[in-house]
Structure formats: structure tokens, C-alpha cells
Amino acid sequence: MQPIIVNSLNKTYGNGQVTAVKDVSFTVNENELFGLIGPDGAGKTSIFRILTTLLLADSGTAKVAGFDVVTGYREIRQRVGYMPGRFSLYPDLTIEENLAFFATIFDTSIEENYHLIRDIYIQIEPFKKRRAGKLSGGMKQKLALCCALIHKPEVLFLDEPTTGVDPVSRKEFWEMLGRLKSGGITILVSTPYMDEASLCDRIALMQSGSIMTIDTPEALTGSYPDPLFAISTEKASMPSILNALAQFEKTKSHYAFGEFAHASFTDKNLSADDIIGYLDSRGITNSRINLIKPTIEDRFIQLATQK
Amino acid sequence: MRTIRFLLQKEFRQIFRNKSILAMVMVMPIVQLLILPLAADYEIKNINLAVVDEDRSPYSQKLISKITSSGYFRLTGFENNYNEAFRLIEQEKADIVLQIPPHFESTLVRENKSALFVAVNAINGTKASLGGSYLSAIIRNFNGEIRVQLMQPGRFSRVEQVETPTRFWFNPFLNYHMYMVPGILAILVTMIGGFLSALNIVKEKEVGTIEQINVTPIHKHHFILGKLIPFWVLGNIVFIIGLGVSWLVYGIVPQGNIALLFAFVAVYLLAVLGLGLLVSTLCETQQQAMFIMFFFMMVFILMGGLFTSVDSMPDWARVIVRFNPVSYLIDVMRMVILKGSNFGDVRQKMIIIAGFAIVLNTLAILNYRKRA
């Protein structure tokens, strides 16, 4: 049985004025870490809220842990853990009190499921008498994850768990997700950070409410259609490089990517030397060009501009 | 039951950590009961009086000294003619002008009657009507005294006089505090219960915690009960403190059964909390909830019979008052505390309030949606 089955979901807001989710279908396999990747406003949170029975879809069906999200919401609420994008624990209760509260409303106790959260909880345990509102961003996320896990959910929903968290805590957080997955929990996670996407088993790239493609991160980057070049130079500014690329008749796509300009070309046989030659003719000298392996972000941009 | 116990534990923890709520619950009843009954006094004192005495006789002197020694009036002008005195009214220096015409005393002695002229500044309606009637009462009294002096003993019995001695039941000295304190206590209980409950669920919405609660298997009515009970307890604490203050400071001891009083407040609080929770489920922010509650509170308080008598309101207003829970509590408080009414007397009102409680809480539970 697949823990999450989503079948052509649609959701609009404001009497159909704003489309949040457009014909979205995907399935998540047991023990899978599945990522919804997309920029803000792609419809990720709406999908989460539909799947956690907080929001009714306009059309389409979805099953979570074997139960329909509309008719089986009671069973689903017993079986899923949800960590909303916004910190939503009681800021005036301590770490320990928040955890105990969420354990008791699921009719369990911290002791009973301590093994599930131990790895995470020991990191915040020294501060267990501190109020949740006074914690740092990373500690808040760890506490929220503990609270979402304390009732031993079958499926875990994490809506942008690492937004606003420092890079070290983000890395730790993803390592924890890996351990949870090996512990037998199915995880649906969303993130706007493309670099985190490669840590998922499979990802769905989303834009403006619809899914562009679903695959493993390796397959997605591997299926990039053209050779991709990274261009940099010490002499010329980024805008002038981009401008030169824009005027090159063989350029297919070009964009700034950190300190490099990434570009692909219509002529697949074009070599790095050809491009250097063109840039020289435009007065951009001493440029360095490498053929690179595309990242998820390159693939996302390619898919988003293709439409 | 277990769920409710943990919900309550959580709510009380949050309340005890919120210093401003605790301060409100403890300080508000004490301070308001100490200040309001003393300040919001119906008796009008310090009415500024300008006198135009064109007679300057012993009688007119006597009348003026009788008026000024009553304690209600303050002589702010003693003018030669009416126009000058009226200027004082225009300058807000006088509220009432008393004109004693020339030959007041001699006419009174000779013709057995005389006239006085009273002009009242009616911009402040209450002050005008009460000041006017105080003044007429003093003049009437003065009239009675001189009548005794003027009448010859032999003719005394021939004067027909209807005297109406009045006995004021339940509050023999028309002590203002006896009347105001129970009413103010009723409003305090309403405000604490109504505002605290109205702001609570909305706060969970604002902080986002409701999102986390909604994905749990918690039942709607458990959640609402978990919100209702703590504020019900707080409302009762406010009521106990209030009763204590009115006993210690004003010496007001309920004449009726105190258990009846508590029973009524218990049911009443359920109704007010139900309203608060309903507002709370309707609003998205604490600001909205606050404004809606203010609207209701203003209407409830001003139309509750605390400051103005419900019986003297127009018919349409009395229909509105029937839907005002505060008016029932104010009534019952006064009935039980001052009059010693028993359960039979307040049963009708108790049933109505219980009806409010059931309807409002049911609406609150129905309207609280765990999903959009």
C-alpha cells in the first residue's frame, strides 16, 4: 500500500480567482523521503493542508495512510505527524510541556515513544525547562519535529522545515530525516531550497500550482537535455557577460548562478573554445568556460522556462 | 476525560504565566468596586446657584440660607437683577437662577401667597431636573414652615393638607452604593468572562498553534470545554473577590441565599463565555475579536439597567434588553443581595440564561471548524 496517493487535486481561493493547486497527482511509496520542490507560491502548503485534512480540495481525491482525506479524516489525524511551515507550538510552555501536551492528546506519553525522538531530543533536552518562544530557530525546528513524531506517525508531513534555519542546523535536520526514514516512516517534505532536493529519494518540481516533473534527483539532473556550461571571467561584470550571451544567436538559455553564468546552446556540438572565441569578439577576454554537471536548480530553470 | 484534564492543565499553565491576565482578575474587581460606586454617584451636588434677591426681607434671607445650608447648592452669584444673573448662566458660572421678587415677604403675609421664579440651565439634563426638583423641595419645605408660623392656632385645622410619608423598602436610606455595587459587580463578571474567552481561541489562531491542534484527533467539544472551564473558574474568582470587597468596604451582605447567587452566576458565566467563544471562532485576529466584544459590551452595559432603568425605556429598546444577558444578572444580583429573593423569584431568569448558555455554546462548537 502506498501511504500517499494524490489524484488530480485542484484548489482555488477567492471563488476561483487564485489557483493554488492545479491538477496535481503523485504517489509516495512506503519508506520514501519525497520532496515537493518549488518557489514560494508554488502551492506546496495548500497540498500539505489538504493531505493533513485541514483544507478541502475543490476536486480530486487523495489518500493518506490508506484513508480518504475527506471521509477518513479521523483515522488520518491519528496516523500522521504535521509540522507546519510556521512555528506553531505554545511559546509560553516549556519544551518539556509542549512535548508532553502533544503526547497526551494522542493518548501516549514521552516515555512510550522516546526511542523515536531520542536522537533529536537529546540535543534540546538540556533546555527542556526553557519556554518554546525563547528558543533559537534551529531548536524550535527540532522541538517541532519531536512534537510531530511523539505519537509514532506512519506518515510525516514537513512543510518547509528548514526555512529560516542556519546552514549547520539545516544539514543536521536532513540527516535526522534520513534516520527517521530508515526507521520506517514515510516522509513528505517541501522546500524552496534546491540544494536540499538532492537529499530526497524522489522529488516533484512544482511551479504555479502544478507539478512539472517527478523523478529521482539523479534522473532529473541526468536527463538535462543539453550540455551546460559555466562561464566566469575576472575582467568583465556579470551583466555584460549575460548581455553578450543574450545576443549570441546560438544561445538557448543563460542565467546567473552564483559567481558563474550558466548557459546552454542550440548547437550541441558547440565547444568551449567556440564560446570563448565569441566572447573575445565581444570584448570579454580571459573568460573560463567549463562543461558542468547540471544541478536540480538548472533542471528547474530549464523546465520552468521551457513552458 | 483524560484529554480534557490535559487541556485544562495546559490552559491553566498558560494563564498563570500570563501576568497581565492574573493582574486583571485580581486588581480589576477591587479597583473598580472601590472607585466606581463612589465616583458614579447619582446624587447631584455642588449645583451653582445665582440668587436675585429683590426683596431683601427676613423671609428671603431665611429662604436663601435654607437653600445654601442644604449642602446641594453653592451660592456663586448674588445679583441685583435677572439679566445679570442670566449672564452667569451664559458664562457657565451658574446652573440655576432663583429670583425673589420685590415685596415677597409682605405679599406672602398679606395675601397668603407669593411667587418665586426659578430659571434652570438645562444643557446637562440630569443636573437640571434634579437641581430643579431639589430646589422646589426646599422651597416647599420652607413654605410649610412659614405656614405654621403664620397660621393662627385656631384656624390651623382648617387647612387641608395631604401628607405622603414614604417608606423605602430594602434600601431605607436610599443608599446609592447598595444599588450600584451589585450592578457593577455584575458588569465586572461579564467583562472578565467575555473578553478573556473572546481573545483566547483567536490568540491560538494568531500564533498558529491552532494549526497543530487541528491535525490532532482532539474532539471539537473537548477543545471548547478546555477553553470554557478555565475562564469559568476565573469568572467565579472575580465574583468572590467582588463580593468580598462589597462586604468589607460597603458592608453589603447578601440578604438572600448566597448559594443561589453563586448558582445563578455559574449559569450566567456559561452564557457569557459562550458568546466570547463564538466571537473567537468567528474572528481571525485579536483586534477583530476585541472590537466585536466592545460593541456587545457597550450595548450590554448601557442597556443593562445599571445606569438607567429598563422600565423607562421605549418599547423597542425593552425588546432588545430581553436579549441582553447582563440585564438579567443585574436584576438577579439586586434581587438576591438587597431583597433576599429566593429561587422561585429568579427561576424564570435562570431558565432564560440557561437557554442563552446552551444556544451560544452550541453555536460556538458548531462554528469552530477544524478544517477550512
Side-chain angles (χ1 to χ4, degrees):
Chain A
M1 182 199 72
Q2 287 162 318
I4 303 176
I5 304 166
V6 179
N7 210 339
S8 51
L9 276 188
N10 282 289
K11 177 70 192 176
T12 57
Y13 294 111
N15 292 327
Q17 302 268 308
V18 183
T19 306
V21 180
K22 202 160 64 196
D23 198 29
V24 163
S25 306
F26 64 93
T27 53
V28 180
N29 300 317
E30 222 158 319
N31 259 358
E32 196 174 27
L33 176 53
F34 191 95
L36 290 180
I37 317 293
D40 295 339
K44 303 186 298 283
T45 299
S46 295
I47 293 176
F48 272 88
R49 288 172 55 86
I50 291 169
L51 294 181
T52 51
T53 75
L54 291 175
L55 191 68
L56 286 173
D58 295 342
S59 66
T61 56
K63 277 189 166 185
V64 173
F67 298 95
D68 185 88
V69 289
V70 179
T71 55
Y73 68 95
R74 278 178 198 283
E75 282 77 11
I76 292 176
R77 284 175 188 168
Q78 295 277 6
R79 287 170 173 79
V80 303
Y82 175 41
M83 186 175 149
R86 192 174 148 211
F87 180 69
S88 52
L89 299 174
Y90 292 98
D92 43 359
L93 296 183
T94 64
I95 287 184
E96 205 177 18
E97 287 163 351
N98 265 303
L99 193 56
F101 175 69
F102 283 101
T104 49
I105 53 178
F106 280 101
D107 224 6
T108 177
S109 65
I110 300 182
E111 295 72 37
E112 205 174 316
N113 290 321
Y114 188 74
H115 62 280
L116 276 174
I117 58 163
R118 191 181 51 228
D119 287 349
I120 311 159
Y121 190 58
I122 46 170
Q123 301 178 40
I124 51 173
E125 208 166 12
F127 315 102
K128 64 182 182 184
K129 301 284 180 207
R130 194 180 287 183
R131 296 197 187 167
K134 301 234 186 295
L135 296 174
S136 69
M139 292 211 291
K140 276 182 182 166
Q141 295 309 92
K142 283 170 193 159
L143 173 60
L145 185 59
C146 286
C147 288
L149 280 171
I150 194 62
H151 60 286
K152 206 176 179 212
E154 295 168 26
V155 187
L156 191 57
F157 292 93
L158 307 170
D159 190 6
E160 301 201 2
T162 52
T163 299
V165 175
D166 67 84
V168 178
S169 298
R170 267 171 62 186
K171 191 164 165 289
E172 279 178 12
F173 197 88
W174 278 91
E175 284 165 9
M176 285 186 291
L177 294 190
R179 281 199 293 275
L180 286 173
K181 195 194 71 171
S182 54
I185 295 177
T186 306
I187 302 172
L188 180 67
V189 63
S190 75
T191 177
Y193 302 124
M194 303 287 168
D195 56 326
E196 291 179 342
S198 55
L199 302 167
C200 299
D201 294 333
R202 282 195 306 147
I203 52 178
L205 293 182
M206 288 194 71
Q207 200 193 24
S208 340
S210 39
I211 291 180
M212 298 188 291
T213 183
I214 302 175
D215 216 328
T216 62
E218 297 73 32
L220 273 176
T221 52
S223 62
Y224 197 86
D226 308 301
L228 187 69
F229 294 94
I231 304 161
S232 72
T233 170
E234 279 151 24
K235 291 279 159 62
S237 68
M238 181 60 72
S240 61
I241 299 176
L242 291 175
N243 196 28
L245 286 169
Q247 287 168 14
F248 188 41
E249 71 272 14
K250 285 179 181 165
T251 301
K252 195 173 177 186
S253 74
H254 64 285
Y255 44 87
F257 196 97
E259 54 189 316
F260 298 95
H262 281 191
S264 63
F265 301 93
T266 46
D267 181 359
K268 294 200 183 196
N269 299 318
L270 204 69
S271 71
D273 290 337
D274 297 336
I275 303 161
I276 290 176
Y278 167 73
L279 289 174
D280 276 340
S281 73
R282 295 289 310 231
I284 298 166
T285 52
N286 277 352
S287 49
R288 281 190 305 272
I289 296 196
N290 294 311
L291 185 63
I292 52 158
K293 190 175 174 297
T295 63
I296 302 278
E297 190 163 348
D298 292 311
R299 181 71 164 137
F300 183 89
I301 293 170
Q302 182 257 323
L303 284 168
T305 48
Q306 188 181 22
K307 285 202 158 183
Chain B
M1 268 330 280
R2 195 169 162 268
T3 318
I4 290 199
R5 206 175 79 228
F6 286 110
L7 279 172
L8 290 181
Q9 191 186 29
K10 171 212 141 225
E11 289 293 333
F12 275 114
R13 267 196 186 127
Q14 291 184 298
I15 289 169
F16 284 119
R17 279 178 198 171
N18 193 335
K19 297 280 176 293
S20 56
I21 287 191
L22 279 186
M24 273 249 286
V25 171
M26 299 299 159
V27 176
M28 199 165 128
I30 297 175
V31 172
Q32 297 211 347
L33 277 174
L34 286 180
I35 293 175
L36 290 182
L38 297 176
D41 198 323
Y42 272 150
E43 286 184 39
I44 302 277
K45 287 185 180 147
N46 303 326
I47 304 165
N48 297 325
L49 177 74
V51 173
V52 184
D53 186 358
E54 293 170 284
D55 189 33
R56 296 185 191 264
S57 62
Y59 270 15
S60 71
Q61 295 297 328
K62 209 170 151 186
L63 176 61
I64 292 165
S65 77
K66 193 171 170 63
I67 291 168
T68 49
S69 61
S70 70
Y72 292 105
F73 295 93
R74 198 162 56 186
L75 197 61
T76 50
F78 199 86
E79 305 299 328
N80 292 322
N81 59 55
Y82 179 76
N83 287 342
E84 280 172 35
F86 194 77
R87 274 180 51 90
L88 289 179
I89 286 195
E90 286 176 334
Q91 292 164 1
E92 294 282 316
K93 283 180 184 160
D95 300 309
I96 295 184
V97 173
L98 171 68
Q99 191 181 17
I100 304 172
H103 317 302
F104 169 69
E105 183 183 295
S106 52
T107 329
L108 190 62
V109 174
R110 203 177 332 114
E111 296 174 19
N112 224 351
K113 64 174 185 188
S114 190
L116 289 168
F117 177 69
V118 176
V120 185
N121 174 10
I123 285 187
N124 181 340
T126 326
K127 203 171 184 181
S129 64
L130 279 175
S133 58
Y134 287 164
L135 193 58
S136 344
I138 294 169
I139 294 169
R140 205 160 46 238
N141 197 284
F142 173 77
N143 190 15
E145 278 173 26
I146 53 172
R147 193 187 283 259
V148 177
Q149 284 177 17
L150 288 174
M151 294 305 157
Q152 275 139 43
R155 293 170 60 198
F156 194 77
S157 54
R158 282 183 51 205
V159 180
E160 308 293 338
Q161 238 179 341
V162 179
E163 251 193 78
T164 49
T166 314
R167 168 96 160 84
F168 294 105
W169 279 96
F170 311 120
N171 186 4
F173 302 107
L174 285 181
N175 184 344
Y176 190 71
H177 303 146
M178 297 279 278
Y179 182 74
M180 281 304 276
V181 170
I184 290 174
L185 187 50
I187 285 179
L188 275 175
V189 170
T190 313
M191 297 238 291
I192 293 275
F195 277 113
L196 289 185
S197 58
L199 293 181
N200 195 276
I201 294 182
V202 178
K203 191 181 161 201
E204 294 228 8
K205 283 188 195 169
E206 264 188 8
V207 181
T209 48
I210 199 112
E211 196 86 324
Q212 197 85 64
I213 289 286
N214 285 349
V215 284
T216 67
I218 248 177
H219 291 291
K220 284 203 283 187
H221 59 273
H222 282 165
F223 184 70
I224 295 272
L225 268 181
K227 294 286 174 195
L228 194 80
I229 296 171
F231 297 117
W232 184 86
V233 172
L234 283 188
N236 275 304
I237 291 175
V238 168
F239 183 58
I240 293 170
I241 294 175
L243 274 185
V245 171
S246 36
W247 170 57
L248 285 172
V249 178
Y250 302 100
I252 297 172
V253 182
Q255 299 295 309
N257 189 339
I258 201 155
L260 174 63
L261 211 51
F262 273 101
F264 192 88
V265 169
V267 180
Y268 174 80
L269 272 170
L270 291 181
V272 174
L273 294 172
L275 175 69
L277 292 177
L278 179 60
V279 169
S280 207
T281 58
L282 288 169
C283 297
E284 291 303 318
T285 66
Q286 297 193 52
Q287 204 175 27
Q288 290 170 354
M290 199 75 181
F291 272 117
I292 294 183
M293 276 321 267
F294 259 124
F295 167 76
F296 279 112
M297 285 296 162
M298 285 292 281
V299 175
F300 283 174
I301 292 171
L302 291 179
M303 295 188 78
L306 176 66
F307 300 112
T308 48
S309 164
V310 173
D311 295 323
S312 51
M313 288 179 191
D315 287 340
W316 59 264
R318 284 205 297 218
V319 173
I320 296 175
V321 172
R322 265 190 240 149
F323 293 95
N324 178 358
V326 179
S327 72
Y328 294 93
L329 182 64
I330 291 178
D331 259 7
V332 170
M333 289 274 230
R334 285 175 179 162
M335 283 167 77
V336 178
I337 292 180
L338 303 182
K339 211 158 119 185
S341 300
N342 57 28
F343 178 69
D345 300 323
V346 303
R347 190 178 55 201
Q348 180 75 24
K349 295 183 198 296
M350 184 96 112
I351 292 169
I352 293 172
I353 288 296
F356 275 119
I358 292 167
V359 170
L360 290 169
N361 283 297
T362 311
L363 284 177
I365 291 176
L366 290 179
N367 198 54
Y368 164 53
R369 298 203 176 282
K370 286 180 77 173
R371 74 160 112 196

